[in-house]
Amino acid sequence: MAEAPGAPAHIAIIMDGNGRWATRRGLSRSEGHRAGTRTARAIVTRCRELGVRHLTLYTFSRENWSRPKDEVGLIFDLLVEYMRGELSNLLEQDIRLKVLGELDGLPFVVRQALTHVMDKTVNCRSMTLNLALNYSGREEILRACRRLVAKGAAPEAITEEAFAAELYTAGQPDPDLIIRTSGELRLSNYLLFQAAYAEFYFTETLWPDFDAAELERALADYQSRQRRFGKTGAQLQPE
Ligand code: IPE
Ligand code: IPE
Ligand code: MG
């Protein structure tokens, strides 16, 4: 057997199923999002303890704007609450906050809360927490094209590296592992460029019920795989 991959440097999660979790309990979808926030807080800490260097959480997609206004408002209220409550914990855990997505399209108070935490945690080094917010993978790719054109980049200078440097994730490794909860088997416009060689882990567990044990199952599953990157299994045999 070839050597199993080490711990993933970058985990990206599609935190799905808050609404169904709430509906099954006779609660409002808002309660589902509130419970989902508690899970996010715990998973951030656990990933940091496990030595994951980059964690990306899909928090609000560009497509999520089509949800009822009240639900969108509630999601942003929770986000602002999270930012206000978590700053000291992020600093204590040496976690840097970044946003992947179009910040300008977010309500002013949300932008302000995010910018404050991003500024305060700019020197934190143990882990980078990326929140994908107002995010669209396709839009991110088009944005990178526009930025290269605006710079006057010569066609031959547009390498994969030069392109990746114009993405929101510039300077960060591609996700090694993408986890999606709630049984849905799709990417929903998430990290389309960066996901090229990611491993996937899908679970029926709804996001509010995703816990440290489930995270460890995902990691164990990931570590049992052979990442080939186009090679044959035999080529990967240790000498
Ligand atoms: C994920 O849970 C949270 C966001 C998309 C903001 P959902 O709200 O999509 O939950 P379901 O899929 O309706 O159960
Ligand atoms: C993806 O979940 C976006 C987030 C988790 C923020 P959705 O629930 O919006 O995805 P679809 O619409 O079911 O594909
Ligand atoms: Mg959903």
Side-chain angles (χ1 to χ4, degrees):
M1 250 298 273
E3 223 178 296
H10 186 171
I11 299 180
I13 307 183
I14 303 174
M15 311 185 287
D16 200 9
N18 292 348
R20 278 163 284 171
W21 180 90
T23 307
R24 282 178 203 173
R25 284 171 173 69
L27 302 169
S28 67
R29 292 181 60 88
S30 307
E31 287 309 313
H33 292 310
R34 196 169 284 283
T37 308
R38 286 195 289 273
T39 298
R41 194 177 284 126
I43 293 300
V44 167
T45 299
R46 194 69 195 119
C47 282
R48 157 75 175 73
E49 286 167 356
L50 291 167
V52 173
R53 301 300 307 275
H54 306 263
L55 174 65
T56 302
L57 300 179
Y58 207 175
T59 307
F60 190 82
S61 71
R62 184 190 61 176
E63 288 74 24
N64 286 146
W65 286 110
S66 53
R67 293 191 179 202
K69 224 170 155 230
D70 286 0
E71 182 170 343
V72 171
L74 183 276
I75 291 171
F76 289 140
D77 288 350
L78 281 173
L79 187 63
V80 171
E81 212 176 281
Y82 176 87
M83 287 302 132
R84 293 192 180 142
E86 281 304 286
L87 176 59
S88 57
N89 291 335
L90 293 175
L91 286 169
E92 206 170 292
Q93 297 175 85
D94 196 33
I95 298 173
R96 178 175 184 178
L97 180 81
K98 283 195 177 179
V99 170
L100 315 183
E102 206 208 320
L103 210 49
D104 287 348
L106 294 170
F108 178 72
V109 276
V110 178
R111 225 159 56 217
Q112 200 182 32
L114 289 164
T115 308
H116 180 66
V117 177
M118 285 193 285
D119 289 348
K120 292 282 181 195
T121 61
V122 73
N123 294 318
C124 294
R125 290 285 173 271
S126 295
M127 185 173 91
T128 300
L129 169 63
N130 300 303
L131 298 185
L133 263 172
N134 195 15
Y135 177 83
S136 151
R138 284 191 169 180
E139 179 52 35
E140 181 185 33
I141 289 170
L142 294 179
R143 175 179 172 271
C145 295
R146 287 187 211 109
R147 287 163 65 97
L148 288 166
V149 170
K151 278 184 177 173
E156 61 278 10
I158 305 177
T159 59
E160 288 191 14
E161 290 72 26
F163 196 86
E166 301 300 334
L167 298 172
Y168 291 118
T169 46
Q172 302 191 58
D174 287 340
D176 300 293
L177 173 64
I178 296 182
I179 297 173
R180 183 167 191 151
T181 57
S182 89
E184 307 299 343
L185 307 178
R186 56 180 172 267
L187 269 179
S188 302
N189 209 2
Y190 195 40
L191 302 173
L192 298 182
F193 187 89
Q194 299 90 332
Y197 260 102
E199 296 290 330
F200 287 86
Y201 181 85
F202 294 104
T203 170
E204 291 290 328
T205 303
L206 301 172
W207 178 248
D209 291 328
F210 190 89
D211 57 10
E214 178 91 41
L215 175 69
E216 274 149 42
R217 265 199 296 284
L219 290 176
D221 189 305
Y222 168 83
Q223 281 170 335
S224 72
R225 301 187 192 176
Q226 188 184 55
R227 300 185 78 188
R228 294 207 185 122
F229 300 103
K231 295 181 179 159
T232 68
Q235 281 177 293
L236 294 166
Q237 299 299 324
E239 294 292 301

